[in-house]
Amino acid sequence: MDGSDSIGASRTDDNDFRDLVEEVFDEYIVNEIPIRLIHISNDGQGLNFKLVDRNFVKEHFKSVPDEIYREFCNERLVDREGRIRERMKETFKYAIFSHRWLFSEPSYQDMPTEPMKVQAELEPKWKKLQEFCRKAKVDHGCEFAWSDTCCIDKTRSAELDESIRSMFRWYRNSHICIVHLSGTEDLAALERQQRGGTKIDVWFTRGWTLQELLAPSQIKFYGTNWQPLVPLYDSKSDRVSDTIMRKIEKITNIPLRDLKSFSPGTNRVPEKMLWASKRRTTRVEDIAYCLIGIFDVSLMIAYGEGNRAFFRLMEEIMKRYDKWDVFLWSGKCSHYNAALPHDPRCYPVGYQETLVKRRHEADNEEEWNTANYGIGDRLFALTNHGLRIKVLCLSVDLQQTRDEPHNSRYLTFRHPEFIHDVVVRHIGAKREPHTTWAIAVLDYWANSSGSGFIDRVRREPFTAFLLSMDKSHAPDARWRKEMTEEVIRIRPANHYENPLVELYL
């Protein structure tokens, strides 16, 4: 190869790299930052802001591709595209807002498209937005900012859908998430909330603020009067502050490791549902939509579908989750499948108890060598006939019924393999006298022969569904899952083993 060939190859490589930078630049703006942002400027007399779109951002940063090209063109980058993206994120700094909506907030239609100085004292609804923009610019050096109340045109369904599905990513890609705790004056007030001495800030009770707490890589909490709860000279981001994060851990039941660095995904389903269980949303559908990013699933947005949104969320989660503890819930079932919960509020009791159970299972592993066995069915699936799942099924005798108010009753069941009778608070319609009952154990130990077993050696009880069958419907009679007020627990008297039964619930 002569010198001209080397020069030609070098130019080709340079052109390819320049094209890659331009391509990543365009993709990042279209896919990784919000549709619209607030541009914050200073005219020497104070801060102005206006609403801008991605085209404005692209034009504003038009010199960035050349800067990145010059910075990296002589470096050997193992992951060139990944490094370019990191550099983009460092450049496209925007602050993102997390807050509890007030009765009146600036809307998209209210926002100026030319620089405007807002007189918040004349129009109180602007005060919070003005303070947010000031903190973004002065405290965190961000020229751009995003607020959900005014940066989304909610009259355009396509834009609203994209915003909801992208929200977690937008918060994750922000330079800083600014949280305004309108009911918390200072760190001492947060301390009192942690200890149960006063009502917790409403920010900790809303559905959407759960992902706004977990998604951002950096977050800063401001109190009622817009003073940081932890001084800025201590830290620009509260993620690294044990002082505040341990208090939030107590308030939210979210482990410190997740508060410091959260990874989304379809894992630890009951635990994440526990985090959402005490939170509320104004729209019924939003209790599902606000969890899309946390579980890293894709879901079509369809306001008006009601509780079906949460059922569809569970469908998506179960396509990628194979642990029996997804059924560790109690209370009201979904209208669309009795084996699935109505909403996140069904999970807390079951999950808290399973923490203890898993610890004891680990203790018992050497004694029983349970590593040689599977726990529960990991091939369950939702089908057009219902939930297909293999269980260890034990027929039980109904010993006693005691009616309770609010369409419920206590049922007492007996089986020779149980140490004690099982007392269940059954909710819903009363069953006919000829109903057949069964207990379906979910977390049995399974062996290679296709059988399942339970054993008294485990110190913690096993978990089960309550099943019923109306034999008057023969030959079409089939087991159905019943709603119970609490998760059913059983303790075997001895070792009990039987072939597993495949059910469609």
Side-chain angles (χ1 to χ4, degrees):
M1 179 183 292
D2 61 22
S4 61
D5 290 336
S6 298
I7 294 171
S10 175
R11 287 175 177 168
T12 300
D13 288 344
D14 286 348
N15 289 337
D16 287 346
F17 185 62
R18 188 181 292 274
D19 289 344
L20 177 63
V21 173
E22 291 280 358
E23 183 180 334
V24 174
F25 176 78
D26 290 342
E27 286 181 356
Y28 193 90
I29 290 176
V30 172
N31 297 305
E32 303 299 333
I33 68 172
I35 299 169
R36 293 182 182 83
L37 289 164
I38 301 168
H39 182 232
I40 309 166
S41 57
N42 194 327
D43 62 1
Q45 298 179 341
L47 296 181
N48 299 305
F49 59 77
K50 67 176 182 177
L51 197 64
V52 300
D53 59 16
R54 287 166 173 162
N55 288 329
F56 180 94
V57 175
K58 185 174 182 179
E59 179 64 21
H60 186 82
F61 289 105
K62 63 182 179 182
S63 63
V64 168
D66 284 339
E67 293 170 8
I68 293 176
Y69 170 76
R70 288 194 297 271
E71 181 179 344
F72 294 144
C73 64
N74 295 320
E75 294 186 24
R76 290 184 174 273
L77 301 177
V78 176
D79 178 14
R80 293 196 303 178
E81 186 170 341
R83 185 65 189 93
I84 294 169
R85 285 183 179 277
E86 288 176 17
R87 184 68 170 76
M88 297 289 182
K89 186 173 180 178
E90 294 166 5
T91 302
F92 298 135
K93 287 171 54 175
Y94 64 90
I96 202 161
F97 196 20
S98 179
H99 62 117
R100 173 69 171 106
W101 286 19
L102 301 176
F103 176 74
S104 177
E105 297 275 0
S107 69
Y108 165 79
Q109 285 73 23
D110 294 328
M111 290 298 290
T113 53
E114 294 297 329
M116 182 179 84
K117 189 181 278 57
V118 174
Q119 300 297 322
E121 64 276 7
L122 301 179
E123 296 184 80
K125 72 176 183 179
W126 292 96
K127 182 173 177 55
K128 183 167 59 168
L129 184 65
Q130 184 188 55
E131 289 292 345
F132 161 61
C133 290
R134 180 176 290 115
K135 298 303 178 184
K137 180 76 171 176
V138 176
D139 290 0
H140 301 284
C142 291
E143 192 176 355
F144 292 88
W146 186 90
S147 174
D148 51 1
T149 56
C150 59
C151 290
I152 304 172
D153 184 356
K154 300 176 183 68
T155 64
R156 300 175 59 186
S157 59
E159 181 173 325
L160 180 61
D161 291 356
E162 179 183 348
S163 299
I164 289 173
R165 287 190 298 231
S166 306
M167 201 82 70
F168 188 94
R169 187 168 69 254
W170 292 349
Y171 274 87
R172 178 64 61 120
N173 288 336
S174 67
H175 174 70
I176 187 72
C177 175
I178 292 175
V179 177
H180 183 230
L181 299 179
S182 59
T184 304
E185 188 173 348
D186 50 29
L187 203 58
L190 195 68
E191 173 81 21
R192 290 192 293 274
Q193 294 173 37
Q194 173 216 324
R195 294 179 176 176
T198 186
K199 186 177 180 181
I200 67 170
D201 194 293
V202 69
W203 187 85
F204 293 108
T205 71
R206 307 306 297 172
W208 285 107
T209 55
L210 176 60
Q211 75 166 358
E212 293 163 16
L213 169 63
L214 295 172
S217 56
Q218 298 192 100
I219 194 166
K220 193 68 183 174
F221 290 88
Y222 289 80
T224 308
N225 298 316
W226 284 97
Q227 294 303 308
L229 299 191
V230 175
L232 286 164
Y233 56 75
D234 281 355
S235 175
K236 289 281 190 179
S237 172
D238 291 333
R239 280 276 183 248
V240 298
S241 170
D242 281 0
T243 303
I244 189 169
M245 284 299 160
R246 290 198 180 279
K247 293 174 175 55
I248 293 174
E249 179 184 29
K250 295 288 187 183
I251 293 171
T252 62
N253 289 316
I254 300 174
L256 187 64
R257 67 178 184 276
D258 291 298
L259 291 174
K260 293 204 166 207
S261 179
F262 175 73
S263 297
T266 47
N267 60 336
R268 298 156 57 201
V269 172
E271 184 176 6
K272 292 176 181 178
M273 289 297 181
L274 170 68
W275 304 343
S277 63
K278 293 183 180 179
R279 294 175 179 260
R280 300 292 177 267
T281 57
T282 303
R283 295 294 299 266
V284 172
E285 298 87 350
D286 281 340
I287 200 62
Y289 301 159
C290 72
L291 297 174
I292 291 173
I294 288 172
F295 286 106
D296 193 22
V297 296
S298 179
L299 206 64
M300 181 182 71
I301 308 304
Y303 281 107
E305 66 175 329
N307 285 110
R308 190 171 185 274
F310 188 74
F311 171 73
R312 291 195 298 112
L313 175 70
M314 292 300 301
E315 277 188 307
E316 291 302 316
I317 289 171
M318 290 177 65
K319 289 176 183 177
R320 295 159 56 187
Y321 193 74
D322 66 351
K323 294 181 177 60
W324 68 272
D325 63 7
V326 71
F327 304 112
L328 237 169
W329 61 272
S330 59
K332 189 177 180 181
C333 68
S334 168
H335 295 305
Y336 304 96
N337 187 291
L340 297 182
H342 182 262
D343 59 39
R345 286 174 286 184
C346 298
Y347 274 96
V349 174
Y351 176 67
Q352 293 287 19
E353 291 180 0
T354 201
L355 286 177
V356 179
K357 175 184 287 194
R358 284 173 173 167
R359 185 169 63 248
H360 285 304
E361 281 178 353
D363 292 342
N364 285 340
E365 189 169 75
E366 288 185 12
E367 183 177 0
W368 251 100
N369 194 20
T370 54
N372 294 333
Y373 302 102
I375 299 178
D377 182 11
R378 301 190 69 173
L379 298 176
F380 58 80
L382 286 173
T383 74
N384 59 341
H385 292 286
L387 173 71
R388 185 187 68 228
I389 186 170
K390 287 184 178 180
V391 299
L392 182 62
C393 201
L394 295 86
S395 295
V396 290
D397 296 322
L398 178 61
Q399 298 295 305
Q400 185 179 351
T401 301
R402 190 180 81 229
D403 287 340
E404 292 286 312
H406 309 299
N407 202 25
S408 67
R409 62 217 52 87
Y410 280 100
L411 306 178
T412 302
F413 296 103
R414 181 168 297 168
H415 188 281
E417 294 297 335
F418 297 168
I419 291 181
H420 305 292
D421 290 348
V422 175
V423 180
V424 175
R425 187 177 182 186
H426 173 246
I427 54 180
K430 193 172 184 178
R431 296 290 163 245
E432 297 297 326
H434 48 259
T435 297
T436 300
W437 300 90
I439 297 290
V441 181
L442 299 171
D443 53 340
Y444 54 83
W445 287 315
N447 56 36
S448 57
S449 67
S451 292
F453 67 93
I454 54 180
D455 200 287
R456 67 180 299 170
V457 69
R458 192 163 80 176
R459 283 170 280 181
E460 288 303 306
F462 289 83
T463 307
F465 282 161
L466 175 64
L467 305 179
S468 72
M469 181 188 294
D470 186 349
K471 291 205 171 176
S472 66
H473 292 164
D476 298 324
R478 55 185 283 186
W479 291 111
R480 58 175 291 167
K481 182 191 179 296
E482 294 291 343
M483 291 187 291
T484 58
E485 190 68 25
E486 296 179 346
V487 174
I488 297 175
R489 306 287 189 173
I490 64 165
R491 292 180 180 274
N494 295 291
H495 180 91
Y496 176 80
E497 182 170 347
N498 242 350
L500 298 173
V501 176
E502 185 172 75
L503 302 178
Y504 285 85
L505 302 174

